[in-house]
């Protein structure tokens, strides 16, 4: 069985996580990846995760500052399909491996560049470390008040690097599709900063939509968490970041019933996520609380009239859950398969989750030293182009003497000029997915020029009614919407006609539902043998938990997102014995720690899988069935932590106050505002010591990475408290020290208001018939020879008539279908 990227050669000049993770995905799927490392190697070799990110590759150590090193690199580049670099702007030019140089050597090569902040603008020269990008984007403000203090908080899961990696794979595969038609490569660029845009799901749009006030926007941003008054002590604004225009956000304390964490009698924390009425009913049956429906204030659960009732309901659930042990509840929930619930795990504990094991999401790979390691498996399951994982990461310079056979297609053979259209122009995707994760995956493809036809139920997708309808903007804009009743034969006939013409299909129904609706893989493959059919699953299509529903926080709980973000020591031991008011606070911390990651992680991975499937189809001519899971996608985002082997050194955890991972990778309050320090190399720490006139601290590098180092953190805090954040960032730029001022605005406002975001094309204006002109996110990807264009939000059924006409229905037929409630057209 051929893998999707068989025959593809990739030259990687990248370090740390983002670039190597991108090429790991290509290597897992058959690509021959040659990793060119600088003298001494990729600094990430010191991390256990290096063995995951670089499995299956070849290593050559070259000094590109020497003529001999550049000559060897140029020889490899001249005979490759893809070149991937992850340097700060200007470095590739100095080393002789910039795009113009590569294009001269090999016009067929796709050149992928990953930067921290983009290749222009005021931030371009800053070091692109995960924490620094999170600081400058406003992402740190998304985690404010998880810890019981004001100010920004360090994100725990490296989603900027994860997202950049997945987007880079998507860009490479899209550009290869263009090359297939033209014979020419092009440049694909992505920044870690832009890669964080998808994680702001609603804040960027809420202020622009008439009738949505600031409080509603904040609630929506928190996925429906009630706005409770802040304690007086927290309202003073002390310790706020430097932007005086920012109004301190309220402290949310009372969650809606839908997404409740709770602790069992024996101290195991569970995440519930029962958003729909029937799922909530199943939860209350399992908990033995159905009698609550008899109370008028709870008669419409999970909807409740006010915050007081919500808090009372919250307390009732918390008390009930801690009446039984986890083993007792697990047996109950196995008997009630319609309850969305799972336990909070650390990433390494996720390895033993029964569905993870069943799905094969963990694979055995030999480590660099020959030891057996357990690592995340393939990004997707394929029926016709299975991934091949097994070769270990290479030792430094292990393949310096290896010879690489020339390939037949290495000679430039450009046949057509590249048309200025999206790289996925001509690709049609039929999207049956609902809620957020799966439909946002196809939104990413729409950004690249694919035609995405969204099939919605009559009345519209659920996301159109969640968070005031704001969640529908990122999942519907740029798509065509047709509202169809798939339970009627006439409705199935319509979608079957669309499937017969499509290139790809995505759904996220639970097992059994596609068969009832007539869109199961077997039916669709008969209609269209060339179809790429992706099931964007929560748990999977079979196995012990496949029938269980799961939403955003379930994946975050299982994969370890939440416990990592909660910080060391949380939830505390014995929390099941806390009084109810203290227990609410711990539950609140767990709830908020589980936001801002899971859905988007799943979406970005599903989009990558779709592009891999389309690439395999274009190479082989055959369609196939595929599956991703929300669990596996979030495990990938935690791949910096998720590798197990005997003798593995412990990974440093985020501290309980969410300042950081140690004195040198941490946020500190300045005299005004906050700064983020991220010294990952000894030379960076030494530069910091010179900048602060504290050369005596330089010798304490080793101490900084040992536990119990509060003394050094306190000394650094005292130093950084002497100036304001902007002064420190200015001085740090002069000394090339990895220190930045923390952006005080949250990502939505930052994206809307920052001039560089607009100048680099990350935001673009569109015209909606309903909402008028508004700014929307563009694609984080940029192409040198393919133009991208973006559509607006569209109402449910906004394209029903047009699509039916395209399928051959006349106006009389369409009117009859509308009258018979087979289809619906937009009314606004």
């Amino acid at each position: 069985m051929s893998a999707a990227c068989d025959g593809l050669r990739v030259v990687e000049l990248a370090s740390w996580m983002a670039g190597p993770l991108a090429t790991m995905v290509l290597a897992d799927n058959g690509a021959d990846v040659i990793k060119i490392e600088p003298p001494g190697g990729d600094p990430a070799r010191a991390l256990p995760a290096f063995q995951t990110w670089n499995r299956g590759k070849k290593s050559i150590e070259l000094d590109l500052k020497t003529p001999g090193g550049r000559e060897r690199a140029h020889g490899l580049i001249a005979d490759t399909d893809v070149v991937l670099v992850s340097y700060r702007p200007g470095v590739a030019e100095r080393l002789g491996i910039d795009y113009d140089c590569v294009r001269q050597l090999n016009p067929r090569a796709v050149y992928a560049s990953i930067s921290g902040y983009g290749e222009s603008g005021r931030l371009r020269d800053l070091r692109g470390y995960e924490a620094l990008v999170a600081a400058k984007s406003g992402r740190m403000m998304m985690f404010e008040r998880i810890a019981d203090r004001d100010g920004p908080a360090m994100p725990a899961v490296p989603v900027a690097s994860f997202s950049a990696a997945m987007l880079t794979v998507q860009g490479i595969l899209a550009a290869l599709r263009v090359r297939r038609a033209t014979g020419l490569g092009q440049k694909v660029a992505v920044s870690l900063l832009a890669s964080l845009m998808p994680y702001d799901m609603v804040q960027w749009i809420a202020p622009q939509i008439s009738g949505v006030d600031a409080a509603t926007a904040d609630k929506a941003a928190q996925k429906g968490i009630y706005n409770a008054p802040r304690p007086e002590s927290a309202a003073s604004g002390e310790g706020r970041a430097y932007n005086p225009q920012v109004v301190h956000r309220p402290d949310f304390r009372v969650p809606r019933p839908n997404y409740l964490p709770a602790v069992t009698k024996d101290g195991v924390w569970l995440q519930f996520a029962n958003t729909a009425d029937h799922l909530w009913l199943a939860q209350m049956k399992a908990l033995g609380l159905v009698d609550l429906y008899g109370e008028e204030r709870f008669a419409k659960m999970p909807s409740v009239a006010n915050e007081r009732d919500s808090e009372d309901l919250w307390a009732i659930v918390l008390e009930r859950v801690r009446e039984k042990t986890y083993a007792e509840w697990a047996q109950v929930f196995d008997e009630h398969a319609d309850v969305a619930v799972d336990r909070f795990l650390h990433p390494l504990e996720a390895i033993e989750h029964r569905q993870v094991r069943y799905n094969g999401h963990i694979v055995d790979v030999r480590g660099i030293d020959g030891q057996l390691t357990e690592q995340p498996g393939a990004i997707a399951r394929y029926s016709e182009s299975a991934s091949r994982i097994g070769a270990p990461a290479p030792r430094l310079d292990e393949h310096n003497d290896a010879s690489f056979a020339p390939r037949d297609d290495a000679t430039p053979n450009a046949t057509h000029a590249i048309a200025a259209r999206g790289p996925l122009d001509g690709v049609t995707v039929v999207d049956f997915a609902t809620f957020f994760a799966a439909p946002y995956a196809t939104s990413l493809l729409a950004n690249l020029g694919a035609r995405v036809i969204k099939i919605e139920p009559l009345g519209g997708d659920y996301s159109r009614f969640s968070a005031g309808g704001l969640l529908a903007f990122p999942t519907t804009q740029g798509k065509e919407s047709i509202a169809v009743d798939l339970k009627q034969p006439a409705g199935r006939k319509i979608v079957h006609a669309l499937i017969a013409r499509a290139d790809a299909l995505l759904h996220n129904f639970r097992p059994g539902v596609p068969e009832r609706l007539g869109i199961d893989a077997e039916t669709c493959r008969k209609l269209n043998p060339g179809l790429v059919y992706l099931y964007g699953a929560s748990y999977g299509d079979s196995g012990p938990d496949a029938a269980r529903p799961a939403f955003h926080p379930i994946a975050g709980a299982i994969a370890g997102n939440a416990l990592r973000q909660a910080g060391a020591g949380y939830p505390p031991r014995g929390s099941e014995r806390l009084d109810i008011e203290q227990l609410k606070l711990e539950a609140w911390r767990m709830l908020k720690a589980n936001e801002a990651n899971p859905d988007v992680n799943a979406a970005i991975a599903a989009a990558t899988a779709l592009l891999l499937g389309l690439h395999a189809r274009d190479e082989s001519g055959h369609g196939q069935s595929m599956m991703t899971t929300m669990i596996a996608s979030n495990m990938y985002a935690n791949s910096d932590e998720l590798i197990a082997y005997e003798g593995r050194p412990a990974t440093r955890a985020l501290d309980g106050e969410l300042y950081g991972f140690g004195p040198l990778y941490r946020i500190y309050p300045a005299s005004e505002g906050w700064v983020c320090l991220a010294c990952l190399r000894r030379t960076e720490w030494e530069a910091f010591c010179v900048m602060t006139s504290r050369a005596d601290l330089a010798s304490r590098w080793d101490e900084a990475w040992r536990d119990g180092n509060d003394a050094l953190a306190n000394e650094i805090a005292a130093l950084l408290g002497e100036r304001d954040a902007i002064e420190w960032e200015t001085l740090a730029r002069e000394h090339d020290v990895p220190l930045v001022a923390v952006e005080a605005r949250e990502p939505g406002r930052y994206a809307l208001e920052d001039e560089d975001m607009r100048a680099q094309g990350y935001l673009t204006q569109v015209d909606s018939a309903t909402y008028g002109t508004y700014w929307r996110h563009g694609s984080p990807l940029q192409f040198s020879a393919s133009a991208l264009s973006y559509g607006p939000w569209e109402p449910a059924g906004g394209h029903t008539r047009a699509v039916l006409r395209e399928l051959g229905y006349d106006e009389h037929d369409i009117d009859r279908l509308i009258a018979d409630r087979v289809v619906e057209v937009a009314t606004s």
Side-chain angles (χ1 to χ4, degrees):
M1 184 181 292
S2 298
C5 297
D6 274 355
L8 199 67
R9 181 171 291 174
V10 180
V11 173
E12 173 208 306
L13 299 106
S15 57
W16 299 111
M17 178 178 176
L21 180 60
T23 55
M24 183 207 81
V25 172
L26 298 175
D28 285 352
N29 288 281
D32 183 16
V33 179
I34 303 166
K35 183 179 179 73
I36 296 179
E37 301 190 62
D42 180 345
R45 282 186 172 274
L47 305 177
F50 177 89
Q51 299 175 86
T52 301
W53 301 331
N54 295 281
R55 64 193 184 199
K57 301 178 186 178
K58 300 177 176 68
S59 170
I60 298 176
E61 184 182 20
L62 295 177
D63 186 352
L64 298 183
K65 296 177 182 178
T66 67
R70 283 196 299 274
E71 182 179 0
R72 180 79 190 279
H74 287 175
L76 294 169
I77 287 169
D79 191 27
T80 193
D81 299 289
V82 177
V83 177
L84 185 149
V85 302
S86 66
Y87 297 117
R88 282 195 282 178
V91 174
E93 286 80 358
R94 293 197 296 272
L95 296 177
I97 51 169
D98 56 291
Y99 175 55
D100 287 339
C101 177
V102 169
R103 184 169 52 174
Q104 292 296 320
L105 292 166
N106 182 354
R108 287 176 50 81
V110 170
Y111 184 93
S113 173
I114 303 175
S115 64
Y117 310 88
E119 298 185 354
S120 62
R122 70 190 190 286
L123 304 179
R124 70 186 295 271
D125 295 325
L126 297 178
R127 293 189 184 275
Y129 294 152
E130 178 84 24
L132 301 182
V133 174
K136 296 310 296 182
S137 68
R139 181 167 171 79
M140 288 184 172
M141 301 307 295
M142 297 178 74
F143 302 98
E144 184 183 20
R145 299 300 301 177
I146 295 178
D148 189 20
R149 63 172 180 81
D150 284 339
M154 179 72 74
V157 183
V159 297
S161 297
F162 163 75
S163 177
M166 296 299 104
L167 290 163
T168 299
V169 175
Q170 294 165 34
I172 288 170
L173 295 173
L176 287 172
R177 183 176 183 275
V178 175
R179 189 186 76 166
R180 188 174 292 108
T182 66
L184 292 172
Q186 61 178 302
K187 182 177 179 179
V188 180
V190 67
S191 70
L192 269 67
L193 180 69
S195 298
L196 286 173
M197 288 195 305
Y199 293 87
D200 169 28
M201 295 187 282
V202 298
Q203 290 175 338
W204 59 276
I205 189 63
Q208 304 180 74
I209 302 305
S210 176
V212 178
D213 60 21
T216 302
D218 269 348
K219 289 181 191 179
Q222 293 298 312
K223 297 178 77 73
I225 298 172
Y226 281 118
N227 180 358
R230 287 175 58 79
E232 189 64 31
S233 60
S236 65
E238 291 182 4
R240 287 295 293 164
Y242 62 87
N243 190 333
Q245 298 178 347
V246 176
V247 177
H248 202 345
R249 219 177 68 187
D251 185 21
F252 296 89
R253 287 291 180 185
V254 183
R256 277 172 48 190
N258 306 40
Y259 287 171
L260 289 179
V263 65
T264 65
K265 185 177 181 179
D266 53 345
V268 176
W269 279 84
L270 303 177
Q271 174 70 68
F272 292 89
N274 295 287
T275 60
D277 291 350
H278 70 286
L279 299 179
W280 179 264
L281 175 59
Q283 174 185 308
M284 300 311 275
K285 286 180 178 178
L287 295 178
L289 295 174
V290 176
D291 290 349
L292 288 179
Y293 282 98
E295 296 186 34
E296 182 177 355
R297 60 180 182 152
F298 297 142
K300 296 181 179 180
M301 292 186 297
S303 297
V304 288
N306 55 58
E307 185 179 313
R308 181 183 296 277
D309 293 342
S310 181
E311 186 165 8
D312 289 347
L313 182 57
W314 184 22
I316 291 168
V317 172
L318 286 171
E319 293 286 17
R320 177 54 56 91
V321 171
R322 62 175 173 178
E323 290 177 4
K324 294 183 179 181
T325 65
Y326 171 67
E328 291 171 325
W329 280 124
Q331 182 176 350
V332 170
F333 297 139
D334 279 345
E335 296 168 358
H336 293 79
D338 270 348
V339 181
V341 61
D342 219 308
R343 64 180 297 186
F344 285 89
L345 301 172
H346 288 283
L348 291 176
E349 293 174 322
I351 289 174
E352 300 303 329
H353 190 284
R354 62 186 185 181
Q355 189 70 34
V356 167
R357 285 293 182 185
Y358 179 90
N359 289 342
H361 289 332
I362 294 295
V363 294
D364 292 339
V365 181
R366 288 291 171 189
I368 290 178
D369 297 325
Q371 78 277 29
L372 189 66
T373 75
E374 293 182 300
Q375 303 179 11
I379 193 122
R381 188 191 69 196
Y382 309 88
S383 66
E384 305 297 330
S385 60
S387 300
R388 293 196 295 268
I389 303 171
R395 293 180 178 275
L396 179 61
D397 207 31
E398 182 177 342
H399 302 90
N400 196 9
D401 296 330
S403 59
F404 303 98
R407 293 164 317 111
D408 294 337
D409 61 351
T411 303
N413 63 343
T415 56
H416 303 90
I418 296 179
R421 339 186 255 269
L424 297 186
D425 180 67
V427 172
T428 298
V429 182
V430 182
D431 174 3
F432 290 92
T434 188
F435 289 98
F436 190 91
Y440 188 67
T442 57
S443 293
L444 293 172
L445 271 59
N447 287 345
L448 303 184
R451 181 190 186 191
V452 180
I453 303 173
K454 182 170 179 60
I455 312 298
E456 303 194 53
L458 303 189
D461 180 70
Y462 180 86
S463 66
R464 294 185 182 273
F465 311 99
S466 181
L470 298 177
L471 280 178
F473 275 82
T475 60
T476 62
Q477 61 189 358
K479 302 180 182 180
E480 300 172 35
S481 171
I482 175 171
V484 185
D485 183 357
L486 297 181
K487 296 177 182 178
Q488 297 195 50
R492 288 195 294 274
K493 181 180 178 181
I494 292 167
V495 299
H496 285 175
L498 289 172
I499 290 167
R501 302 177 176 204
D503 298 284
L505 178 153
L506 172 65
H507 79 84
N508 61 344
F509 296 114
R510 279 193 280 169
V513 176
E515 287 77 7
R516 294 197 296 273
L517 299 179
I519 58 167
D520 56 283
E522 183 177 355
T523 297
C524 292
R525 291 291 299 281
K526 288 178 180 177
L527 291 166
N528 183 351
L531 185 72
V532 174
Y533 181 102
L534 177 61
Y535 175 29
S538 297
Y539 283 99
D541 56 6
S542 61
D545 297 302
R548 189 174 298 285
F551 298 92
H552 170 84
I554 297 292
I558 294 172
N561 304 5
L563 286 182
R564 292 187 77 182
Q565 190 60 58
Y570 289 92
R573 292 182 181 275
S575 54
E576 69 278 6
R577 297 187 298 274
L578 294 172
D579 66 69
I580 190 62
E581 295 305 317
Q582 288 297 314
L583 183 58
K584 287 177 187 175
L585 295 179
E586 296 306 327
W588 159 254
R589 185 177 183 122
M590 297 298 291
L591 173 69
K592 194 146 191 307
N594 205 9
E595 285 296 344
N597 294 320
D599 266 351
V600 181
N601 289 341
I604 292 173
T608 302
L610 276 169
L611 265 296
L612 284 164
L614 286 167
H615 182 80
R617 192 278 308 269
D618 291 345
E619 289 291 315
S620 69
H622 303 299
Q624 62 178 311
S625 299
M626 302 158 52
M627 183 183 76
T628 59
T629 71
M630 292 183 71
I631 301 172
S633 301
N634 279 275
M635 290 170 68
Y636 257 63
N638 284 287
S639 61
D640 64 316
E641 169 78 12
L642 211 158
I643 178 172
Y645 56 90
E646 188 175 352
R648 175 191 183 278
T651 303
R652 185 181 294 275
L654 182 61
D655 69 84
E657 290 299 302
L658 308 190
Y659 289 119
F661 295 91
L664 307 191
Y665 201 84
R666 188 184 192 275
I667 57 174
Y668 291 93
S671 63
E672 184 177 352
W674 292 74
V675 295
C676 177
L677 178 67
C679 295
L680 293 179
R681 303 171 189 252
R682 184 187 290 268
T683 54
E684 295 166 348
W685 169 238
E686 291 169 348
F688 173 84
C689 296
V690 170
M691 180 185 75
T692 56
S693 301
R694 287 296 305 273
D696 58 299
L697 295 179
S699 62
R700 297 171 69 177
W701 167 261
D702 292 333
E703 172 191 339
W705 298 107
R706 292 196 297 265
D707 290 333
N709 45 33
D710 290 343
L712 181 57
N714 291 338
E715 289 193 59
I716 296 173
L719 279 172
L720 295 176
E722 296 174 356
R723 300 175 186 243
D724 69 39
I726 297 299
E727 288 182 277
W728 277 123
E729 180 177 305
T730 302
L731 191 61
R733 290 194 186 207
E734 295 173 2
H735 289 78
D736 198 21
V737 171
L739 179 149
V740 299
V742 178
E743 172 60 55
R745 294 166 293 186
E746 292 191 344
R749 281 191 55 189
Y750 172 80
L752 280 173
E753 297 171 4
D754 185 73
E755 293 180 3
D756 282 352
M757 296 295 287
R758 296 187 183 185
Q760 295 190 69
Y762 295 137
L763 253 71
T764 184
Q765 278 190 319
V766 293
D767 295 315
S768 164
T770 303
Y771 290 107
T773 301
Y774 69 90
W775 288 92
R776 58 154 287 181
H777 288 163
S779 173
L781 288 164
Q782 298 173 333
F783 296 81
S784 64
S786 297
L788 304 182
S789 59
Y790 308 101
W793 175 94
E794 297 287 2
H799 301 86
T800 298
R801 284 190 180 273
V803 171
L804 290 176
R805 290 189 199 107
E806 185 180 334
L807 295 177
Y809 291 83
D810 60 28
E811 294 303 319
H812 175 77
D813 296 331
I814 296 172
D815 288 340
R816 174 59 62 87
L817 290 168
I818 294 170
D820 291 344
R821 300 286 297 156
V822 176
V823 301
E824 223 172 35
V825 297
T827 57
S828 61

